[in-house]
């Protein structure tokens, strides 16, 4: 089909992927060309399939959605990526858009929003649900700034993996960094965010919805 929109889905939950695929393919001009279950797989499949749009979950095992987004954009600067998440989360929305995502949506949002986002992004525009845009505006007006939003994508990913309890060796390997570099990031994060122990780091990550409290 001449004007077909080729979409790559990346989410570690098969149920979410199949539900989304069904919903999107009910639009005659949308076609799912691939499904990835991790950030690494999403990056790999992007290079193989060259889709028009990637719809990617922020929180996936391994390198996670934000790091996968960063890697895709480093190599393919024109890539159109829509990030989505379980959370109506201002922090993740700001981090995603700062990292170069074209849109950010919550999984709990209106399913029409996803179709609307795809069409806007294909037109070269960005998309945020009206509720999320309002939350971001309210937060900046009230001055209750979330310190996590000031982190770079790299700092955020190191922070997330540390909060998930991974060792420095694993983080270094996952993000293709030297262990010394990861240790430097850890020191920098302590200074920026003011935590002094692993427990404080985890509390901070839960408070700002970076990880879920188990």
């Amino acid at each position: 089909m001449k004007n077909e929109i080729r979409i790559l889905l990346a989410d570690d939950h098969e149920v979410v992927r199949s539900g989304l695929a069904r919903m999107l393919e009910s639009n005659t001009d949308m076609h799912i060309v691939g499904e990835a279950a991790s950030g690494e797989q999403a990056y790999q499949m992007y290079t193989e399939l060259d889709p028009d749009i990637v719809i990617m979950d922020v929180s996936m095992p391994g390198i996670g959605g934000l790091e996968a987004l960063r890697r895709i954009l480093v190599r393919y600067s024109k890539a159109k990526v829509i990030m989505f998440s379980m959370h109506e989360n201002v922090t993740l929305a700001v981090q995603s858009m700062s990292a170069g995502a074209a849109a950010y949506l919550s999984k709990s949002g209106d399913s029409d929003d996803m179709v609307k986002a795809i069409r806007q992004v294909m037109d070269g525009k960005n998309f945020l649900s009206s509720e999320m845009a309002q939350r971001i505006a309210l937060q900046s007006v009230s001055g209750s700034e979330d310190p996590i939003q000031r982190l770079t994508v790299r700092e955020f990913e190191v922070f997330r993996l540390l909060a998930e309890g991974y060792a420095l060796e694993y983080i270094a390997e996952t993000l293709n960094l030297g262990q010394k570099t990861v240790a430097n990031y850890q020191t920098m994060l302590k200074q920026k965010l003011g935590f002094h122990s692993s427990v404080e780091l985890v509390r901070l990550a839960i408070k700002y919805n970076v990880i879920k409290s188990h």
Side-chain angles (χ1 to χ4, degrees), residues 169-185:
E169 296 83 0
Y170 173 85
I171 297 171
E173 197 181 318
T174 303
L175 299 180
N176 289 335
L177 297 170
Q179 275 190 50
K180 195 160 185 276
T181 307
V182 176
N184 290 342
Y185 272 121

Side-chain angles (χ1 to χ4, degrees), residues 113-132:
D113 272 356
M114 184 58 86
V115 174
K116 214 182 294 178
I118 289 169
R119 300 212 183 285
Q120 285 210 16
V121 168
M122 286 303 289
D123 281 345
K125 301 181 190 120
N126 287 352
F127 182 90
L128 269 177
S129 68
S130 49
E131 192 180 334
M132 185 53 74

Side-chain angles (χ1 to χ4, degrees), residues 75-105:
R75 194 161 162 194
Y76 308 95
S77 59
K78 300 268 192 296
K80 294 177 165 72
V81 184
I82 294 173
M83 302 299 281
F84 73 140
S85 165
M86 286 297 289
H87 305 290
E88 279 282 357
N89 190 321
V90 173
T91 303
L92 292 177
V94 172
Q95 278 287 346
S96 298
M97 300 306 266
S98 304
Y104 178 93
L105 294 114

Side-chain angles (χ1 to χ4, degrees), residues 56 64-74 81 83 96 99-101:
M56 184 147 57
L66 281 172
E67 176 66 14
L69 166 70
R70 192 193 69 79
R71 289 187 191 181
I72 288 170
L73 288 174
V74 162
V81 184
M83 302 299 281
S96 298

